[in-house]
Amino acid sequence: MRKTNRKLFGILAGSACLALVASQPAFAETTLDKIKRTGELTVGTEAAFPPFEFVKDGKIIGYGSDILAEVVKEFGVKKLNQLDLPWQGILPGVLAGKFDFVATTVGINAERAKRYAYTMPIADGLPYAMKRKGDKLTKLEDLNGKVVATQLASSTEPVARALDAKLKAAGGTGFKELKLFTAYPESYVALANGEADAVLQPLPSLAALVKDKSDVFELMAPIPQDSGHPYLAWVTRPDDKDLRDAISAVIRKMRDDGRLATLQKKWFGFEMTIPDQDYLPPGAM
């Protein structure tokens, strides 16, 4: 009887120990830890945003890709998986864990800053209006009654809607129509063939396009923002702030040693100021 009791006690004690061990929090490997351990990195990119990211001869190239190459080197990555995805799936995709971070330009705004962890900026994000060469549009008020185009779910879509509302509040008619395209290059085609009168997008991409297609397009006017000067950055999941900070450290190093300016001149033809602080709206992570 005593033997049976001792055996039963041993079983119960063993079960209790197992339950105690199971209840202890396991070490949670961060995304940055995983990247360094495996030497593998997977990023989400929209390769339809020249000259930041675009496909040439079957390869993703551009300003953002050159920065990513430096991040890969600093992190000791041996295998890079760069997924080319439609913009509309990029931000939901990173939250769903489909890739490690977003390596494509994301406009910094207050709504996104509450949901994603932004890196240090990689470029200026001032929204601008572009027109066909020779069209008699010189100021934003000239967009009353015009067809304006931009990218669906981009940082410029709310800018366009706010501008339309502002024109109406000032007594104008507002846009005749706001056309939203899956990718910015589609809006350039619409502008060139007369389906749209202007395209709204951050300045760096438009400036590079105008430089390359000066016989087709012209810059029209900047669209000032009440919330301060906007910038473009990459994002990680909210829980991956250590990864965000590690990426920012690479960007800062590139800015300080001149590599970022060299890439800006290579891809855009001019340098941009990249601030250390005051680029995030209140409440940002």
Side-chain angles (χ1 to χ4, degrees):
M1 180 73 167
R2 273 184 246 164
K3 261 190 190 178
T4 304
N5 287 340
R6 279 200 299 270
K7 186 176 180 182
L8 179 61
F9 177 77
I11 292 171
L12 292 174
S15 299
C17 287
L18 286 173
L20 181 63
V21 170
S23 68
Q24 297 302 309
F27 171 71
E29 185 180 45
T30 68
T31 302
L32 180 58
D33 291 333
K34 182 202 71 173
I35 293 167
K36 291 184 175 180
R37 175 178 59 80
T38 63
E40 186 170 350
L41 171 64
T42 302
V43 300
T45 297
E46 182 209 15
F49 193 57
F52 286 93
E53 301 91 22
F54 61 104
V55 177
K56 184 176 181 181
D57 299 327
K59 183 181 177 183
I60 299 175
I61 64 170
Y63 175 67
S65 290
D66 284 353
I67 296 173
L68 181 60
E70 296 299 320
V71 172
V72 164
K73 191 187 305 179
E74 288 283 342
F75 284 12
V77 169
K78 304 300 181 186
K79 182 180 180 182
L80 171 64
N81 305 307
Q82 190 169 11
L83 308 181
D84 182 6
L85 304 167
W87 165 249
Q88 292 73 24
I90 294 281
L91 294 179
V94 72
L95 288 184
K98 294 182 178 179
F99 37 88
D100 298 320
F101 66 86
V102 174
T104 203
T105 43
V106 182
I108 297 175
N109 61 40
E111 181 185 351
R112 289 175 179 166
K114 294 174 183 175
R115 302 181 62 198
Y116 308 95
Y118 277 107
T119 67
M120 183 176 174
I122 62 170
D124 192 297
L126 180 66
Y128 233 87
M130 178 179 72
K131 63 178 181 175
R132 281 184 301 276
K133 186 176 181 65
D135 282 4
K136 295 179 180 179
L137 304 174
T138 58
K139 54 189 185 300
L140 296 178
E141 289 75 15
D142 294 336
L143 295 179
N144 279 303
K146 302 298 182 182
V147 177
V148 175
T150 194
Q151 186 181 46
L152 175 68
S154 67
S155 61
T156 321
E157 182 184 345
V159 169
R161 295 190 185 282
L163 176 58
D164 182 38
K166 189 173 182 179
L167 292 174
K168 290 174 181 174
T173 59
F175 303 157
K176 178 180 180 180
E177 182 185 356
L178 176 60
K179 282 182 175 287
L180 299 174
F181 293 90
T182 303
Y184 277 116
E186 296 171 9
S187 69
Y188 309 154
V189 174
L191 178 60
N193 65 24
E195 291 179 25
D197 299 298
V199 166
L200 306 188
Q201 188 180 355
L203 175 61
S205 291
L206 293 184
L209 178 64
V210 167
K211 182 182 176 184
D212 186 50
K213 301 288 184 183
S214 59
D215 58 329
V216 182
F217 304 116
E218 286 182 314
L219 290 176
M220 179 182 151
I223 309 171
Q225 300 299 292
D226 296 335
S227 56
H229 194 94
Y231 292 92
L232 304 172
W234 292 349
V235 301
T236 69
R237 286 180 285 275
D239 294 341
D240 286 329
K241 294 188 183 68
D242 60 334
L243 175 58
R244 181 269 309 275
D245 293 343
I247 298 168
S248 292
V250 177
I251 297 169
R252 183 175 290 105
K253 185 177 178 182
M254 293 179 68
R255 182 201 62 182
D256 293 346
D257 66 20
R259 280 178 291 163
L260 208 58
T262 298
L263 291 180
Q264 289 167 356
K265 285 185 280 189
K266 170 186 174 181
W267 291 106
F268 303 101
F270 59 90
E271 294 181 33
M272 297 174 235
T273 299
I274 304 297
D276 261 323
Q277 53 191 5
D278 298 330
Y279 55 82
L280 290 175
M285 291 183 282

